[in-house]
């Protein structure tokens, strides 16, 4: 187990101190077997990933957002649940095994259902699929009777000056010097996340209470959009009052498509879009999240999660098993999940560790789930040559949206068969995977690693137009507060304030074209 090993602060780290620029970061890609690009190949990639300047016709290969991994756009709720189109026959079998584990319902220990026990004791869901229903986007509960299963509340407290910091907090303090984001630690009683369900004999940690207040935004053309701003609280707290310093942050489940392709973008290609000091003066910074990798025992670029808090699909999967279901893995070998030392009965509860599996899900099982999560296909674009879609694409670029929602990359050329499906693909995720200040309106005021309380990772947009079809709703942003794509745009502030104001002031026909373009993604 390497998760809690302290980072050794040495002379090498001191060289990175005081706000290292993106170009100074040498994070590497230890999770990939990258074949070095030739000069000719690099030149061809630079040419094909150059931002569009003509909008009278689709760009070459634009209709296939995941390259050869693109799947057909099914007209039903299974559109996000297809295996990538370029898997081999044997890999499709692995995908299906992973799907089985993704849907598997876990039960509490002890149980006669061997190999399925270990749930909890505290948890949010009994299966991955419960949060990522149809592999799509989660949503907030709409009424007191509605399930909160696809939304969680993260909780943390400011680290005291005497607290023992984690590896990554120490590293970031050394990296960023006096510009470092103040570290936060899990709540001493409730841990890193509120688990609103518990196995028999244990109290849940509480329920999510959401109160909305609404505020109007008047658009050019006279229409008014009402934005709902949520306030969160924990009610029916099962282990005493939360710390008065506790900071809550609601997160809905992210869509699962294309994750392996995001994993396969070379770190340097992502860092090429970072501009932490806004050196080019366009008002857009973009900072790299840096997280600790348990697998590779080193700092890595964060790519996954609403604040890019995880470096790879594998580690994101292990973290979710622990915090959401209370299942131990070789990467997070805590059978009590997110239980804390101040919940001693929870820590001492009977668990599923110690049989032939070792941990409650073993390395082979975790790899299968990560394979499944890495190879969910991205549906083909619709209507790429539609006149209004092309006009909306032009508006997207002219408004500055493409500065953060970077349209396209070519993934790294990878050695070996294991990641051949992700190797060297022209993809169109519409994200730079970097952190951006999104303003006070969207702030959760809860720092996470290098991200401040106002910063969020740019959300990938591929598949966003299929949200209603797959998930049965159109709730967007980290906590699902936006009830439409237009509301999501209007919540943008901070670095995106200028683009948001432009959308408010533009002619309604341009605005409608922009939304039509987004719906085609």
């Amino acid at each position: 187990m390497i998760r809690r090993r302290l980072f050794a602060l040495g002379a090498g780290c001191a060289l990175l101190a005081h706000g290292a620029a993106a170009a100074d970061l040498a994070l590497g890609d230890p999770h990939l077997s990258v074949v070095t690009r030739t000069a000719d190949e690099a030149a061809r990639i630079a040419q094909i990933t150059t931002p569009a300047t003509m909008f009278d016709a689709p760009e070459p290969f634009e209709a296939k957002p995941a390259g050869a991994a693109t799947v057909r756009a099914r007209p039903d709720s299974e559109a996000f649940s297809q295996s990538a189109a370029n898997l081999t026959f044997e890999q499709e079998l692995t995908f299906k095994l992973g799907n089985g584990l993704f849907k598997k319902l876990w039960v509490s220990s002890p149980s006669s259902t061997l190999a399925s026990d270990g749930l909890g004791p505290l948890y949010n869901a009994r299966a991955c699929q419960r949060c990522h229903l149809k592999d799509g986007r989660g949503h907030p509960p709409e009424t007191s009777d509605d399930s909160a299963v696809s939304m969680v509340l993260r909780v943390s407290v400011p680290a005291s000056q005497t607290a023992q910091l984690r590896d990554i907090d120490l590293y970031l303090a050394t990296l960023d010097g006096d510009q470092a984001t103040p570290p936060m630690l899990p709540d001493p009683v409730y841990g890193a996340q509120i688990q609103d369900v518990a196995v028999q004999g244990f109290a849940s940690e509480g329920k999510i209470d959401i109160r909305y207040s609404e505020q109007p935004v008047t658009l050019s053309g006279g229409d008014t959009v009402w934005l709902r701003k949520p306030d969160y609280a924990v009610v029916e707290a099962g282990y005493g009052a939360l710390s008065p310093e506790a900071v809550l942050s609601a997160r809905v489940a992210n869509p699962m498509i294309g994750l392996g392709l995001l994993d396969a973008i070379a770190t340097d290609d992502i860092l090429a879009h970072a501009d932490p000091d806004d050196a080019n003066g366009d008002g857009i910074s973009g900072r790299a999240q840096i997280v600790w990798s348990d697998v590779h025992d080193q700092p890595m670029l964060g790519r996954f999660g609403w604040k890019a808090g995880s470096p790879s699909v594998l580690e994101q999967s292990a973290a979710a098993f622990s915090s959401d279901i209370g299942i131990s893995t070789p990467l997070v070998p805590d059978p009590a999940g997110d239980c804390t030392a101040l919940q001693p009965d929870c820590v001492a509860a009977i668990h599923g560790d110690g049989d032939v599996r070792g941990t409650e899900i073993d390395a082979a099982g975790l790899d299968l789930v990560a394979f499944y999560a890495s190879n969910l296909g991205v549906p083909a674009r619709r209507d790429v040559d539609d006149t209004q879609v092309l006009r909306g694409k032009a508006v997207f670029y002219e408004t500055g949206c493409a500065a953060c929602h970077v349209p396209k990359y070519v993934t790294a050329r990878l050695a070996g068969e294991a990641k051949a499906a992700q190797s060297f693909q022209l993809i169109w995720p519409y994200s730079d995977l970097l952190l951006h200040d999104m303003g006070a309106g969207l702030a959760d005021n809860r720092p996470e690693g290098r991200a401040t309380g106002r910063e969020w990772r740019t959300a990938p947009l591929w598949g966003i137009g299929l949200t209603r079809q797959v998930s049965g709703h159109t709730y967007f942003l980290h906590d699902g507060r936006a009830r439409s794509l237009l509301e999501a745009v209007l919540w943008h502030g901070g670095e995106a304030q200028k683009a948001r104001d432009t959308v408010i002031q533009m002619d309604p026909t341009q605005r409608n074209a922009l939304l039509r373009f987004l719906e085609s993604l």
Side-chain angles (χ1 to χ4, degrees):
M1 173 191 173
I2 56 179
R3 189 163 70 94
R4 295 192 176 88
R5 193 180 71 79
L6 292 179
F7 185 80
L9 296 175
C13 297
L15 294 174
L16 297 172
H18 300 295
D24 298 328
L25 295 173
L27 299 171
D29 291 304
H31 64 307
L32 302 174
S33 298
V34 178
V35 178
T36 303
R37 290 172 178 163
T38 65
D40 177 65
E41 193 170 80
R44 287 190 287 120
I45 291 171
Q47 182 178 23
I48 201 165
T49 56
T50 298
T53 56
M54 303 291 286
F55 302 98
D56 56 350
E59 295 173 80
F61 312 112
E62 188 176 1
K64 302 187 73 171
T70 304
V71 296
R72 70 183 178 93
R74 288 178 56 138
D76 55 26
S77 61
E78 302 295 327
F80 286 179
S81 299
Q82 306 170 81
S83 60
N86 57 349
L87 294 186
T88 65
F89 181 80
E90 291 76 15
Q91 287 174 325
E92 284 190 29
L93 177 59
T94 304
F95 178 88
K96 290 173 181 175
L97 290 172
N99 189 16
L101 287 172
F102 194 78
K103 293 179 176 178
K104 177 179 180 174
L105 290 174
W106 294 87
V107 298
S108 58
S109 299
S111 169
S112 59
T113 313
L114 295 178
S116 291
D117 67 332
L119 177 69
L122 307 177
Y123 63 98
N124 297 104
R126 291 183 59 199
C128 308
Q129 177 85 328
R130 290 294 175 94
C131 298
H132 300 279
L133 190 61
K134 298 293 183 184
D135 305 293
R137 187 181 302 272
H139 64 88
E142 280 302 291
T143 66
S144 58
D145 297 327
D146 193 9
S147 169
V149 69
S150 61
M151 169 185 270
V152 298
L153 272 182
R154 297 282 181 85
V155 57
S156 55
V157 297
S160 70
Q161 291 186 344
T162 58
Q164 182 177 9
L165 298 181
R166 299 164 297 191
D167 313 354
I168 192 62
D169 294 314
L170 296 170
Y171 175 78
L172 294 178
T174 307
L175 175 68
D176 292 335
D178 56 9
Q179 298 178 40
T181 302
M184 304 285 282
L185 293 174
D187 183 273
V189 175
Y190 285 89
Q193 186 166 301
I194 299 296
Q195 279 84 26
D196 55 359
V197 195
V199 301
Q200 187 174 11
F202 290 85
S204 76
E205 292 188 317
K207 306 297 179 188
I208 302 176
D209 182 65
I210 311 175
R211 306 291 170 93
Y212 290 105
S213 56
E214 299 213 0
Q215 56 194 58
V217 178
T218 301
L219 309 176
S220 68
D223 288 341
T224 297
V225 177
W226 289 86
L227 302 181
R228 59 176 188 173
K229 182 175 177 56
D231 285 310
Y232 299 103
V234 177
V235 298
E236 303 176 27
Y239 297 84
L242 269 69
S243 164
E245 295 184 296
V247 182
L248 302 173
S249 178
R251 314 281 179 88
V252 297
N254 265 308
M256 298 291 295
I257 56 172
L259 300 185
L261 293 165
L262 299 180
D263 218 13
I265 302 172
T267 291
D268 285 349
D269 288 354
I270 296 171
L271 295 180
H273 295 282
D275 185 14
D277 300 317
D278 192 20
N280 64 6
D282 67 351
I284 306 297
S285 60
R287 298 200 306 140
Q289 174 67 290
I290 300 175
V291 300
W292 189 265
S293 168
D294 292 341
V295 172
H296 301 286
D297 203 18
Q298 67 173 73
M300 284 179 61
L301 177 71
R303 300 173 188 238
F304 300 102
W306 288 103
K307 297 212 178 196
S310 188
S312 68
V313 175
L314 179 67
E315 296 195 49
Q316 175 81 351
S317 301
F321 266 116
S322 178
S323 59
D324 296 347
I325 313 180
I327 295 294
S328 64
T329 65
L331 292 182
V332 189
D334 299 324
D338 194 37
C339 299
T340 69
L342 296 179
Q343 296 168 319
D345 292 342
C346 187
V347 173
I350 297 173
H351 53 74
D353 271 10
D355 60 18
V356 69
R357 297 171 294 174
T359 50
E360 291 164 339
I361 185 168
D362 59 16
L366 179 61
D367 285 345
L368 284 171
V369 172
F371 186 89
Y372 172 77
S374 296
N375 288 286
L376 283 156
V378 180
R381 283 274 308 277
R382 287 82 55 214
D383 305 322
V384 290
D385 56 354
D386 179 271
T387 302
Q388 192 180 28
V389 169
L390 289 169
R391 183 177 183 184
K393 180 182 174 184
V395 173
F396 184 84
Y397 275 75
E398 292 163 1
T399 308
C401 306
C404 302
H405 290 285
V406 173
K408 50 191 171 179
Y409 299 85
V410 172
T411 60
R413 189 184 290 280
L414 304 174
E417 290 296 319
K419 295 207 172 199
Q422 288 92 42
S423 176
F424 205 58
Q425 300 296 321
L426 173 62
I427 64 172
W428 306 69
Y430 286 90
S431 171
D432 61 8
L433 300 180
L434 298 173
L435 301 172
H436 293 273
D437 178 353
M438 294 301 292
L442 280 180
D444 66 351
N445 300 310
R446 176 183 176 273
E448 180 179 330
R450 224 181 183 196
T452 70
R454 292 166 57 107
E455 289 181 318
W456 299 93
R457 182 201 67 161
T458 305
L461 299 181
W462 51 12
I464 198 167
L466 295 172
T467 300
R468 180 185 295 280
Q469 175 183 310
V470 171
S471 302
H473 63 77
T474 54
Y475 296 142
F476 300 105
L477 301 175
H478 65 279
D479 54 5
R481 68 178 66 187
R483 293 163 291 191
S484 67
L485 287 171
L486 179 57
E487 287 190 23
V489 171
L490 297 178
W491 270 110
H492 282 50
E495 297 175 35
Q497 183 74 38
K498 182 179 177 182
R500 175 257 194 192
D501 291 347
T502 300
V503 171
I504 290 175
Q505 295 159 9
M506 68 176 49
D507 183 274
T509 58
Q510 287 185 296
R511 193 181 307 123
N512 291 337
L514 174 63
L515 296 175
R516 182 79 179 85
F517 166 69
L518 295 174
E519 289 168 353
S520 78
L521 295 178

